[in-house]
């Protein structure tokens, strides 16, 4: 902080804000007009806070002021002023709220967006950088503000939106905040009354305080959720959604209901068309507003919907809820709990109908919000079966990674003799398709669900079964599918002499060689082409899940597996023969370790590569000797 003769006390913006301002003033936003929505929404927040404060505290500055927003223009000087009679700010609060970005992560998020995505003005409202958007249109902004706290002097903040801002004491009679916007030369449209009115209509029509533009009321307050459905137009629904979600999206679907018994309440719920969580890796905040007979009680009500429905936006209004209910007593309120369970049922029923009647739309929904919805299978015991039906996966039956299959579809396609539902987990479809575990499924034409979201396996293994069919991982040791493979008919004509016996010897060698590295060695009845693979003993989660556990618990050791060997594989047959000659033992041991590590790698387990590389080099040297040895023989 330094003194500046012309401007007053000067402050540097937090470095993050400087970057943000730079992005805002240099990106070409398609809808710069949203700055007005942001300023009005801040004014409305400040008024809402004032409203709540006044409910329980009689003593504060400007007690008789009406709660409203006033917009005035000075066309000649291109100045737009947005005033409110909200809680205002003290000098410290101005420094705190306007000089720093409160929501961590917002800036990194915006800085990492592509140029195209930055132009999408929806982003501005989503990540709490609303106020600064004013610098898209302004070359100077003043904030004059006076707090509701008595005795606090008024204060003026001003900045041109580059590196610094200035603070000065100021005379301001009324409580609240004036935002004085000096428009840039080519942004004069924002002092036109008609333009301002139309922006308010578009974004701020449902603000629950009067907005006066040059003396005229610009917004209408209709509690459309209290109206009968037939009285509400499509346009009103969409406008209300835009207002409530602070975006320009069109919702994917909505649900307008009113209930009489056991509790009287009406609600409009919307499902957005975009999941911003997948953009920013940041958890969405709950977006339900709770009203009691048209009076706002809470604007981000968390108690009315479970976490796994946090993407739903909307309002719930019940006259039965006391106005003075505190956040602490919410959870214990039986009425709230009851409403919550009704709302959840309504949403799930709607999703089921969508799934049944508008499959494509349901899949669009799933691609956006599926990863949030499925969290519910873990948490919501009451609705677990319904949620399981709503889940979608990719599978071996899909043409590509975009295909979706439900558990119901899977079950309907099961082979008559098939008893279990199978899945396999890996990072992506390509990796899964190369997996040796799939060989037997392909041969028997049995469908396998492909799980690529790390959560899916937790969810499926938590479900245990679907429509009484056990759900099993394809890399488990004792699958029902393999049962009849026991009675194998082996074509022995191509096998080496004495194979039964020498193959057993080889298995023994493998077991001794890998004594510390595997749990057991067995003959495989699932492999078709590959020489060997590693399978999990029953009850042990797949390697994929074990790796996830390891990320949280570094002491966790990935459990040992059973090595399965394919007696039909040519290399295994050759190895069995070599194994009969003690001179080859050192070479065989190396190869066995290499085979084991190959199988581990196929499971995505990475380990120190140096020992493996030197072993591979030795093996290749043996190979060159063998090849040249052969040649010599031929030449002679
Ligand atoms: P957000 O509204 O998401 O918190 P903004 O950048 O829009 O982010 O605003 C930053 C902060 O500045 C607000 O949280 C609030 O504390 C303060 N603020 C902005 N405008 C006003 C206003 N009109 N009255 C009181 N405080 C305000
Ligand atoms: Mg804001």
């Amino acid at each position: 902080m330094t003194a500046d003769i012309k401007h007053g006390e000067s402050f540097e913006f937090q470095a993050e804000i400087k970057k943000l301002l730079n992005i805002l003033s240099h990106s070409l936003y398609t809808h710069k007009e949203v700055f007005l929505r942001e300023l009005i929404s801040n004014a409305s927040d400040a008024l809402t806070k004032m409203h709540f404060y006044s409910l329980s505290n009689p003593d504060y500055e400007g007690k008789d002021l009406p709660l409203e927003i006033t917009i005035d223009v000075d066309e000649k000087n291109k100045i737009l002023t947005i005033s409110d009679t909200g809680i205002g700010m003290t000098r410290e609060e101005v420094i705190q709220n306007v000089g720093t970005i409160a929501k961590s992560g917002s800036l990194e998020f915006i800085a990492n967006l592509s140029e195209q995505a930055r132009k999408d003005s929806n982003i501005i409202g989503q990540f709490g950088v609303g106020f600064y958007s004013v610098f898209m249109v302004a070359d100077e902004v003043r904030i004059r503000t006076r707090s509701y706290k008595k005795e606090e002097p008024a204060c003026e903040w001003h900045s041109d939106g580059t590196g610094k801002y200035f603070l000065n004491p100021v005379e301001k009679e009324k409580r609240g905040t004036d935002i004085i916007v000096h428009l840039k030369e080519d942004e004069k449209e924002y002092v036109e009354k008609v333009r301002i009115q139309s922006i308010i209509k578009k974004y701020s029509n449902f603000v629950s305080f009067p907005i006066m533009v040059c003396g005229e009321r610009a917004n209408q307050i209709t509690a459309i959720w209290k109206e009968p459905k037939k009285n509400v137009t499509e346009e009103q629904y969409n406008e209300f959604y835009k207002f409530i979600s602070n975006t320009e999206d069109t919702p994917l679907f909505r649900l307008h209901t009113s209930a009489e018994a056991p509790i009287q309440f009406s609600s409009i719920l919307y499902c957005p068309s975009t999941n911003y969580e997948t953009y920013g890796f940041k958890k969405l905040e709950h977006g339900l507003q709770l009203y009691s007979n048209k009076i706002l009680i809470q604007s981000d009500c968390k108690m009315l919907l479970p976490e796994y429905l946090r993407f739903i936006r909307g309002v719930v209004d019940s006259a039965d809820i006391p106005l003075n209910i505190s956040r602490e007593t919410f959870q214990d309120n039986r009425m709230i709990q009851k409403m919550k369970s009704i709302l959840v049922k309504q949403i799930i029923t709607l999703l089921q109908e969508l799934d049944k009647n508008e499959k494509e739309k349901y899949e669009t929904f799933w691609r956006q919000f599926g990863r949030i919805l499925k969290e519910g299978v873990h948490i919501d015991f009451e609705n677990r079966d319904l949620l399981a039906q709503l889940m979608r996966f990719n599978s071996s039956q899909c043409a590509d990674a975009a295909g979706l299959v439900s558990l119901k579809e899977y079950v309907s396609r099961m082979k008559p003799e098939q008893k279990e539902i199978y899945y396999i987990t890996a990072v992506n479809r390509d990796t899964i398709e190369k997996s040796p575990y799939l060989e037997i499924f392909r041969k028997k034409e049995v469908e396998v669900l492909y799980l690529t979201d790390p959560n899916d396996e937790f969810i499926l293994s938590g479900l245990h079964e679907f429509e009484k069919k056990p759900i099993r991982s394809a890399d488990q040791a004792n699958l029902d599918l393999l049962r009849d493979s026991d009675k194998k008919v082996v074509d022995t004509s191509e096998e080496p002499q004495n194979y039964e016996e020498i193959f057993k010897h080889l298995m023994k060698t493998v077991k001794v060689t890998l004594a510390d590295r595997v749990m057991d060695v067995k003959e495989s009845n699932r492999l078709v082409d590959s020489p060997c693979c590693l399978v999990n003993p029953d009850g042990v989660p797949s390697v994929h899940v074990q790796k996830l556990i390891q990320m949280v618990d570094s002491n966790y050791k990935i459990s040992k597996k059973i090595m399965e060997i394919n007696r039909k594989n040519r290399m295994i047959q050759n190895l069995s023969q070599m194994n009969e000659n003690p001179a080859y033992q050192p070479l065989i041991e190396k190869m066995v370790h290499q085979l084991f590590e190959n199988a581990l790698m196929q499971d995505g387990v990475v380990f120190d590569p140096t020992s493996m590389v030197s072993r591979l080099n030795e093996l290749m040297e043996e190979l060159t000797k063998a090849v040249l040895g052969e040649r010599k023989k031929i030449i002679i």
Side-chain angles (χ1 to χ4, degrees):
M1 174 183 82
T2 51
D4 182 309
I5 299 170
K6 204 165 122 226
H7 297 292
E9 258 181 80
S10 107
F11 297 76
E12 287 277 317
F13 276 117
Q14 188 190 17
E16 291 185 328
I17 296 198
K18 280 192 205 168
K19 270 191 232 158
L20 174 65
L21 286 166
N22 196 21
I23 292 171
L24 283 170
S25 53
H26 290 101
S27 303
L28 290 169
Y29 285 97
T30 38
H31 298 292
K32 290 186 184 178
E33 61 190 27
V34 296
F35 85 90
L36 191 58
R37 171 187 74 186
E38 295 304 319
L39 296 184
I40 290 176
S41 122
N42 286 349
S44 167
D45 288 349
L47 288 162
T48 306
K49 286 177 193 155
M50 195 63 248
H51 162 71
F52 286 131
Y53 186 83
S54 69
L55 290 179
S56 47
N57 301 282
D59 201 23
Y60 54 92
E61 183 63 42
K63 223 173 132 48
D64 300 326
L65 285 173
L67 295 180
E68 61 179 12
I69 299 168
T70 314
I71 299 182
D72 279 307
V73 295
D74 172 349
E75 289 196 40
K76 197 164 132 267
N77 296 309
K78 298 191 298 298
I79 297 174
L80 172 70
T81 306
I82 296 110
S83 307
D84 65 69
T85 49
I87 49 166
M89 286 177 273
T90 64
R91 186 177 176 281
E92 277 61 45
E93 284 165 348
V94 173
I95 297 174
Q96 185 57 39
N97 300 341
V98 188
T100 50
I101 294 184
K103 291 180 191 161
S104 61
S106 296
L107 184 81
E108 295 100 279
F109 173 75
I110 291 183
N112 289 333
L113 283 179
S114 66
E115 190 62 23
Q116 192 51 40
R118 272 189 216 163
K119 286 182 194 162
D120 177 357
S121 44
N122 275 338
I123 302 290
I124 298 173
Q126 295 296 314
F127 295 94
V129 290
F131 169 75
Y132 308 98
S133 65
V134 71
F135 287 105
M136 294 190 293
V137 298
D139 48 25
E140 197 199 49
V141 178
R142 283 175 192 274
I143 304 176
R144 290 200 183 122
T145 182
R146 176 156 181 192
S147 169
Y148 70 100
K149 295 174 189 158
K150 285 188 159 178
E151 317 297 332
E152 284 284 349
C155 150
E156 185 187 71
W157 175 103
H158 74 101
S159 174
D160 62 2
T162 52
K164 285 180 182 170
Y165 65 90
F166 303 91
L167 285 181
N168 287 302
V170 74
E171 281 299 312
K172 185 179 185 323
E173 202 190 318
K174 277 201 226 165
R175 177 199 71 223
T177 306
D178 304 336
I179 311 284
I180 302 155
V181 183
H182 292 251
L183 293 165
K184 289 182 187 164
E185 187 51 42
D186 46 359
E187 308 290 351
K188 348 186 226 292
E189 61 189 280
Y190 300 112
V191 285
E192 291 163 23
K193 183 173 150 192
V194 182
R195 180 83 172 98
I196 298 170
Q197 283 169 331
S198 84
I199 300 175
I200 293 174
K201 260 226 125 22
K202 188 164 166 193
Y203 302 107
S204 313
N205 209 12
F206 295 94
V207 166
S208 38
F209 302 94
I211 307 175
M212 308 300 289
V213 178
C214 309
E216 273 176 41
R217 175 79 178 256
N219 62 329
Q220 37 154 297
I221 308 163
T222 347
I224 58 167
W225 59 91
K226 298 277 271 186
E227 301 280 319
K229 270 194 240 181
K230 61 177 188 343
N231 291 0
V232 187
T233 65
E234 199 60 27
E235 201 187 347
Q236 276 176 311
Y237 277 126
N238 287 341
E239 262 181 36
F240 184 59
Y241 170 72
K242 282 181 190 161
F243 166 68
I244 212 161
S245 64
N246 224 18
T247 65
E248 283 155 59
D249 284 355
T250 319
L252 263 185
F253 56 80
R254 64 158 187 272
L255 190 65
H256 184 178
T257 50
S258 51
E260 289 305 328
I263 308 163
Q264 182 283 320
F265 75 93
S266 36
S267 64
I268 303 182
L269 306 180
Y270 296 95
C271 177
S273 51
T274 317
N275 179 0
Y276 285 99
E277 247 179 52
T278 52
Y279 274 79
F281 308 109
K282 223 176 103 167
K283 244 186 167 179
L284 282 172
E285 283 166 27
H286 280 254
L288 275 200
Q289 301 194 338
L290 178 63
Y291 285 78
S292 173
N293 216 358
K294 298 190 192 175
I295 297 172
L296 183 65
I297 296 185
Q298 228 183 69
S299 56
D300 54 349
C301 190
K302 289 192 174 50
M303 293 304 165
L304 281 172
L305 285 180
E307 276 280 298
Y308 71 87
L309 292 174
R310 61 184 174 274
F311 53 88
I312 298 285
R313 299 281 174 261
V315 288
V316 177
D317 188 328
S318 172
D320 295 340
I321 291 183
L323 269 180
N324 57 358
I325 185 167
S326 74
R327 279 177 192 256
E328 292 71 43
T329 55
F330 249 66
Q331 204 147 10
D332 309 326
N333 188 303
R334 281 190 44 214
M335 210 148 50
I336 297 266
Q337 291 309 327
K338 192 88 212 146
M339 268 161 64
K340 178 174 172 179
S341 95
I342 298 173
L343 289 169
V344 171
K345 280 263 154 30
Q346 285 178 345
I347 296 170
I348 292 182
T349 311
L350 180 89
L351 289 173
Q352 280 177 309
E353 280 164 14
L354 213 59
D355 183 15
K356 210 165 110 206
N357 307 323
E358 291 177 80
K359 201 163 170 244
E360 234 167 81
K361 197 164 172 183
Y362 180 75
E363 291 187 351
T364 309
F365 161 80
W366 178 260
R367 287 180 211 287
Q368 288 292 327
F369 297 103
R371 51 193 304 163
I372 304 184
L373 185 78
K374 64 192 171 194
E375 291 171 15
V377 182
H378 270 320
I379 313 162
D380 189 348
F381 199 71
E382 207 185 313
N383 295 302
R384 199 165 85 156
D385 292 345
L386 298 176
L387 289 167
Q389 287 174 18
L390 289 169
M391 285 187 72
R392 291 292 180 277
F393 308 91
N394 194 241
S395 96
S396 52
Q397 291 279 309
C398 301
D400 54 35
L404 292 174
V405 171
S406 71
L407 287 170
K408 251 195 151 58
E409 277 171 278
Y410 181 102
V411 170
S412 74
R413 290 199 284 251
M414 277 167 73
K415 301 256 151 173
E417 69 283 1
Q418 188 185 342
K419 295 202 173 61
E420 299 171 330
I421 297 172
Y422 299 108
Y423 64 83
I424 180 162
T425 315
V427 283
N428 57 40
R429 186 176 161 104
D430 279 354
T431 315
I432 291 178
E433 296 236 285
K434 290 189 195 108
S435 165
Y437 306 116
L438 282 188
E439 290 174 5
I440 184 80
F441 290 90
R442 248 185 233 126
K443 190 171 163 199
K444 297 199 166 193
E445 293 175 344
V446 166
E447 183 170 8
V448 182
L449 299 171
Y450 291 175
L451 313 190
T452 47
D453 175 344
N455 280 321
D456 280 351
E457 184 169 345
F458 280 116
I459 292 169
L460 280 188
S461 53
L463 268 181
H464 296 300
E465 54 174 45
F466 181 81
E467 294 186 351
K468 303 233 155 55
K469 310 269 190 288
I471 303 176
R472 309 282 312 270
S473 172
D475 67 353
Q476 294 280 308
N478 298 312
L479 300 178
D480 183 70
L481 178 87
L482 304 169
R483 228 172 3 121
D484 61 342
S485 312
D486 283 346
K487 303 184 229 82
K488 57 188 172 284
V489 191
V490 185
D491 172 14
T492 50
S493 59
E494 303 255 302
E495 286 181 351
Q497 268 187 344
N498 253 347
Y499 192 40
E500 195 69 39
E501 203 186 325
I502 63 174
F503 178 68
K504 278 205 182 98
H505 292 168
L506 178 72
M507 296 236 289
K508 206 167 167 196
T509 307
V510 174
K511 209 164 171 169
V512 173
T513 311
L514 296 178
D516 300 334
R517 306 185 84 180
V518 298
M519 202 171 149
D520 204 357
V521 177
K522 284 187 175 154
E523 180 182 339
S524 179
N525 51 9
R526 79 175 74 207
L527 293 171
V528 178
D529 300 315
S530 305
C532 62
C533 71
L534 295 167
V535 301
N536 259 326
D538 283 344
V540 175
S542 79
V543 184
H544 197 73
V545 165
Q546 292 195 44
K547 277 195 292 181
L548 289 175
I549 302 174
Q550 213 173 30
M551 279 197 262
V552 227
D553 175 6
S554 55
N555 289 327
Y556 182 87
K557 289 233 165 9
I558 294 200
S559 55
K560 283 187 197 164
K561 299 205 175 194
I562 300 167
M563 182 148 170
E564 284 193 2
I565 301 186
N566 180 7
R567 63 174 276 157
K568 288 163 284 179
N569 178 277
R570 182 67 199 276
M571 186 202 336
I572 297 294
Q573 295 183 347
N574 291 350
L575 268 181
S576 303
Q577 286 173 285
M578 283 166 66
N579 186 43
E580 295 299 307
N581 186 341
Y584 292 137
Q585 281 313 308
L587 179 61
I588 286 179
E589 273 171 32
K590 275 186 198 126
M591 290 185 71
V592 166
H593 279 290
Q594 190 57 46
L595 278 172
F596 171 74
E597 289 180 19
N598 289 350
L600 271 186
M601 275 194 293
Q602 265 173 325
D603 275 353
V605 179
V606 253
F607 42 89
D608 170 33
T610 39
S611 63
M612 188 172 91
V613 170
S614 58
R615 184 194 309 120
L616 271 176
N617 285 339
E618 285 168 37
L619 288 173
M620 282 161 73
E621 192 186 319
E622 291 297 330
L623 181 66
T624 52
K625 282 187 208 156
V627 171
L628 289 177
E630 287 276 10
R631 283 234 184 103
K632 247 188 239 155
K633 255 188 228 158
I634 296 164
I635 294 166
I636 292 166

